[in-house]
Amino acid sequence: TDPMETGRLNVPSIGIDEKCYQYRKFVTVIRDSVRGAILDVSEGRTINAATQGLRAALPGKEIRAAVRSVTLDMAPAYRTAVEEQLPKAWITYDKFHLFQHLTKAIDQTRRQEVKKEDLLKNSRFLWLKNKDRLTDAERRRFEACNEQQLKTAVAWKIRENFREMYRSESPRKALAFFYQWRNDVLASMNRPMTNVAEMFYRHLD
């Protein structure tokens, strides 16, 4: 028996993601999160694409009802499809996509600030890295930006501070950390970062 076929009958946790190919063409990929196997690939990244993919990967209402956990990005289309097709599944937004939003907010901040701060010119790739990957030269440049209290440096620190939530010893402590982090972001008055923090808050469940 094909293990992929039998595996479809017992898939407690799945992941849904979009993948781009060629130029601005997308597919929806559904994978078995436990085994890492690809269960289905559907054209597009719409509600219909996700719905068709879930039905093909998990044929039968009983099989879909057995799925307990789904990891996805924050695309409304995917969440809608999951809520309709996998009513008993717990939805988790994956760490990778959360940090994508934070990194985009840093870049938005830099784009606004570079117009009046020469120190930020040609620094785009510096802000894409986390602190553990900075070279000595990049650390010096960051410190120079930090000493001048540039908004971009503050935004970068906001993203790096968010990593600490994943080191929390319990869900209760993680939740307390998130609320404090959100308050710090709101106090920064950084609009791109505030928008991200509020989006995370709206999806806290």
Side-chain angles (χ1 to χ4, degrees):
T1 304
D2 186 344
M4 283 298 297
E5 293 298 323
T6 57
R8 291 184 179 185
L9 301 179
N10 182 22
V11 184
S13 179
I14 66 170
I16 305 177
D17 198 5
E18 65 179 35
K19 297 294 181 184
C20 181
Y21 71 99
Q22 293 182 0
Y23 178 70
R24 298 185 66 81
K25 292 184 178 180
F26 294 88
V27 293
T28 294
V29 179
I30 298 176
R31 69 183 185 281
D32 180 333
S33 296
V34 177
R35 288 179 284 263
I38 301 298
L39 300 178
D40 188 77
V41 179
S42 301
E43 190 74 27
R45 52 177 176 174
T46 63
I47 295 176
N48 287 338
T51 298
Q52 293 173 6
L54 288 170
R55 289 177 175 175
L58 305 162
K61 291 184 178 180
E62 292 184 2
I63 296 174
R64 291 194 291 275
V67 177
R68 289 292 177 263
S69 173
V70 182
T71 302
L72 52 124
D73 62 21
M74 303 184 88
Y78 287 168
R79 176 161 186 158
T80 298
V82 168
E83 289 176 339
E84 291 177 352
Q85 299 299 317
L86 309 175
K88 296 182 179 181
W90 186 264
I91 294 175
T92 301
Y93 293 117
D94 69 81
K95 182 179 178 182
F96 173 80
H97 285 96
L98 297 186
F99 277 91
Q100 266 194 337
H101 288 292
L102 291 168
T103 300
K104 183 178 180 180
I106 295 172
D107 196 51
Q108 290 173 338
T109 303
R110 182 193 61 81
R111 288 174 182 271
Q112 294 170 3
E113 198 172 27
V114 71
K115 298 174 183 178
K116 56 183 180 180
E117 295 291 348
D118 290 342
L119 191 57
L120 291 172
K121 289 183 178 179
N122 302 315
S123 69
R124 177 171 178 256
F125 293 104
L126 165 65
W127 310 107
L128 298 180
K129 294 184 176 182
N130 63 50
K131 59 185 177 183
D132 298 328
R133 296 174 53 206
L134 294 178
T135 65
D136 290 341
E138 288 170 336
R139 287 182 184 278
R140 288 193 295 270
R141 189 170 190 184
F142 169 79
E143 290 303 327
C145 294
N146 193 38
E147 287 175 4
Q148 295 190 27
Q149 297 183 333
L150 298 188
K151 293 180 181 179
T152 304
V154 173
W156 185 89
K157 287 190 289 186
I158 287 172
R159 184 194 63 188
E160 294 306 296
N161 288 342
F162 189 71
R163 297 183 191 280
E164 296 301 317
M165 186 183 71
Y166 290 92
R167 300 186 178 98
S168 300
E169 297 176 355
S170 68
R172 179 179 61 81
K173 290 184 178 180
L175 189 61
F177 182 96
F178 174 81
Y179 282 123
Q180 182 59 58
W181 176 84
R182 173 175 174 261
N183 289 339
D184 291 343
V185 177
L186 297 180
S188 75
M189 303 295 287
N190 181 307
R191 177 56 59 185
M193 276 294 176
T194 296
N195 290 341
V196 173
E198 291 298 80
M199 177 175 61
F200 288 179
Y201 179 73
R202 290 194 301 271
H203 295 83
L204 193 58
D205 63 319

